[in-house]
């Protein structure tokens, strides 16, 4: 039995270096404090059409885009229901990709996995072999672009080019912990659905999930009996087309925050945002190499989260706690079974090289490196 622990509101402010949630700009937080309005008012159409069209511009795509009140997990379910009748191929290489496969199984789909050891990346040639060898037609191939548990960045561009050779197979990409911090040309690589949550590299409060949908995926859903109601591509997109709104009541304050943050992201440009994230990732990797090692396979390392292999055997939990107490910086332990063997630094969202250096200095100080 969990006991109630009263939320006091009296907590020290912490700077977040987590692979989500990440810190949110003060004016974005402030944007949420508007008087409420109705989700069927014209003002809602102004807000929703603004954030949808700005998102397409930020992501550099003309693909239809859905913004729903949900966490990103919603789109594991919705893409599976909308695109998979029977068979799905999922490449697993860490906790989140395993969960993607698990979600599809829970929804009653027949899932074939291509399994990699944690830390290894998904290889396009393995996807090709699996597609060639199979006597079934997969309705979809699912890949996690940025495996948050291991710091692996999978080559989804090349995988998409392989899946493109199978026109009856959709390509579904979970880009939850990297979209907005690791630029991808969505339309050039046959990606039918790619989704994220707002609390990661978009640097917004949690509560919204974003998914872009290709025309082919929209059409394919038309043939499915099982399509999701809440995350149904047609329901969401047709409603947008007719009314410029969402089919049910959205988290309006978070959408107001989203509007403000999109303007910041447009102003920065995706090229500059991508370059800033690359610079932070390269610095963090160099630092990790100097003091520890890197958990993710060489050549496939994430641009938004670095998973550091704890080769020095430091007490990860104690270091995290001490850095938090002394510096008010919070970074992340390893995930699941690699909890003490690794730790993770999220370098995404609004971070800069300077703020990342402040964290690595703090870790050096506390761990006596
Ligand atoms: C790769 C990946 N997929 C899915 C999720 C789940 O996202 P959410 O908590 O927004 O549902 C996460 C969360 O960390 C993630 O990193």
């Amino acid at each position: 039995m969990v006991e109630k622990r009263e939320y006091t509101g009296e907590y020290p402010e912490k700077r977040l270096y987590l692979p989500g949630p990440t810190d949110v700009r003060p004016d974005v937080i402030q944007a949420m404090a508007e008087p409420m309005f109705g989700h069927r008012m014209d003002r809602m159409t102004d807000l929703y059409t603004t954030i949808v069209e700005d998102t397409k511009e930020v992501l550099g795509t003309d693909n239809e885009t859905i913004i729903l009140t949900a966490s990103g997990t919603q789109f594991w379910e919705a893409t599976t229901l909308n695109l998979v009748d029977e068979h799905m191929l999922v490449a697993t290489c860490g906790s989140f990709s395993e969960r993607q496969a698990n979600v599809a199984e829970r929804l009653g789909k027949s899932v074939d996995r291509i399994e990699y050891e944690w830390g290894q990346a998904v290889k396009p040639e393995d996807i090709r072999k699996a597609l060639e060898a199979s006597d079934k037609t997969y309705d979809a191939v699912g890949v996690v672009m940025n495996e948050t548990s291991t710091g692996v960045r999978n080559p989804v561009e090349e995988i998409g080019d392989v899946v493109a050779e199978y026109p009856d197979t959709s390509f579904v990409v979970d880009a939850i912990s990297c979209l907005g911090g690791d630029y991808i040309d969505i339309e050039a690589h046959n990606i039918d659905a790619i989704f994220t949550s707002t609390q990661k590299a978009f640097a917004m409060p949690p509560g919204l999930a974003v998914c872009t949908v290709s025309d082919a995926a929209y059409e394919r859903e038309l043939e499915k009996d099982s399509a999701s109601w809440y995350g149904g591509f047609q329901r969401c997109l047709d409603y947008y087309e007719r009314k410029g709104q969402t089919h049910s009541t959205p988290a309006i304050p978070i959408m107001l925050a989203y509007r403000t943050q999109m303007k910041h992201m447009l102003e920065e440009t995706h090229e500059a945002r991508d370059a800033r994230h690359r610079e932070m990732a390269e610095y963090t990797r160099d630092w990790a190499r100097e003091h520890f090692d890197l958990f993710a396979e060489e050549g496939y390392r994430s641009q938004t989260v670095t998973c550091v292999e704890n080769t020095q055997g430091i007490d990860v939990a104690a270091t995290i706690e001490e850095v938090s107490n002394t510096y008010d910086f919070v970074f992340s332990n390893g995930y699941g079974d690699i909890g003490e063997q690794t730790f993770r630094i999220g370098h995404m969202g609004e971070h800069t090289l300077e703020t990342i250096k402040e964290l690595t200095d703090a870790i050096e100080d506390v761990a006596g490196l």
Side-chain angles (χ1 to χ4, degrees), residues 33-328:
E34 274 195 37
M36 206 33 54
F37 50 88
H39 68 298
R40 296 291 173 242
M41 288 165 65
D42 285 349
R43 185 170 166 183
M44 188 64 222
T45 308
D46 294 350
L47 176 60
Y48 193 60
T49 56
T50 298
I51 62 174
V52 167
E53 298 308 318
D54 282 355
T55 303
K56 290 188 197 171
E57 200 177 332
V58 160
L59 298 179
T61 183
D62 290 327
N63 280 356
E64 299 300 343
T65 298
I66 301 169
I67 303 172
L68 273 187
T69 300
S71 83
T73 296
Q74 163 63 25
F75 279 113
W76 273 338
E77 289 201 344
T79 52
T80 304
L81 288 171
N82 296 346
L83 297 174
V84 181
D85 262 338
E86 246 189 302
H87 302 294
M88 183 167 183
L89 181 67
V90 180
T92 63
C93 61
S95 179
F96 291 97
S97 41
E98 283 169 11
R99 211 179 291 171
Q100 182 174 27
N102 188 245
V103 166
E105 283 160 352
R106 287 287 294 264
L107 294 171
K109 310 302 176 189
S110 134
V111 177
D112 287 340
R113 298 170 187 230
I114 305 180
E115 291 176 312
Y116 295 85
E117 261 180 51
W118 282 35
Q120 299 296 300
V122 178
K123 309 296 180 314
E125 56 274 22
D126 295 338
I127 302 281
R128 180 186 298 285
K129 272 189 222 145
L131 289 171
E132 276 173 5
S134 177
D135 50 10
K136 45 193 140 169
T137 300
Y138 289 109
D139 297 308
V141 171
V143 176
V144 170
M145 178 167 163
N146 199 70
E147 181 43 83
T148 324
S149 58
T150 62
V152 163
R153 199 295 200 178
N154 284 313
V156 288
E157 292 89 341
E158 288 89 332
I159 296 169
D161 294 342
V162 169
V163 182
E165 293 169 32
Y166 294 79
D168 294 330
T169 304
S170 301
F171 185 38
V172 174
V173 178
D174 165 342
I176 287 183
S177 61
C178 63
L179 206 66
D182 183 350
Y183 186 74
I184 176 158
D185 187 336
I186 294 169
E187 284 163 59
H189 299 286
N190 179 49
I191 296 174
D192 288 297
I194 183 167
F195 48 92
T196 191
S197 314
T198 46
Q199 76 275 13
K200 308 264 185 195
F202 278 20
M204 279 182 241
L208 298 176
V210 179
C211 182
T212 81
V213 181
S214 72
D215 291 347
Y218 178 91
E219 292 299 327
R220 220 161 277 158
E221 191 206 87
L222 296 174
E223 301 151 17
K224 299 277 175 287
D225 296 329
S226 67
S228 165
W229 199 104
Y230 190 75
F233 297 155
Q234 293 165 59
R235 184 173 309 280
C236 295
L237 294 172
D238 292 356
Y239 211 93
Y240 182 69
E241 196 54 38
R242 279 188 289 121
K243 305 235 165 129
Q245 296 176 351
T246 51
H247 56 56
S248 53
T249 321
I252 295 172
I254 306 177
M255 290 191 170
L256 287 165
Y258 192 109
R259 167 184 165 264
T260 304
Q261 177 64 356
M262 273 298 123
K263 301 298 180 199
H264 287 303
M265 288 170 72
L266 284 171
E267 195 179 341
E268 182 176 18
T269 75
H270 73 70
E271 289 89 352
R273 203 171 173 84
D274 188 57
R276 177 166 59 80
H277 281 80
R278 190 169 325 115
E279 190 181 38
M280 293 190 292
E282 280 166 5
Y283 166 78
T284 311
R285 280 181 220 140
D286 286 346
W287 177 83
R289 274 191 209 96
E290 190 186 333
H291 298 285
F292 301 93
D293 208 344
L294 291 157
F295 187 75
E297 184 179 353
E298 167 105 55
Y300 300 95
R301 287 169 180 155
S302 163
Q303 194 158 291
T304 52
V305 55
T306 292
C307 185
V308 180
E309 190 164 353
N310 180 15
T311 49
Q312 299 226 28
I314 63 165
D315 183 333
V316 169
T319 307
I320 290 173
E321 193 177 341
E322 191 53 33
V323 167
S324 172
N325 291 339
T326 310
Y327 290 92
D328 287 326

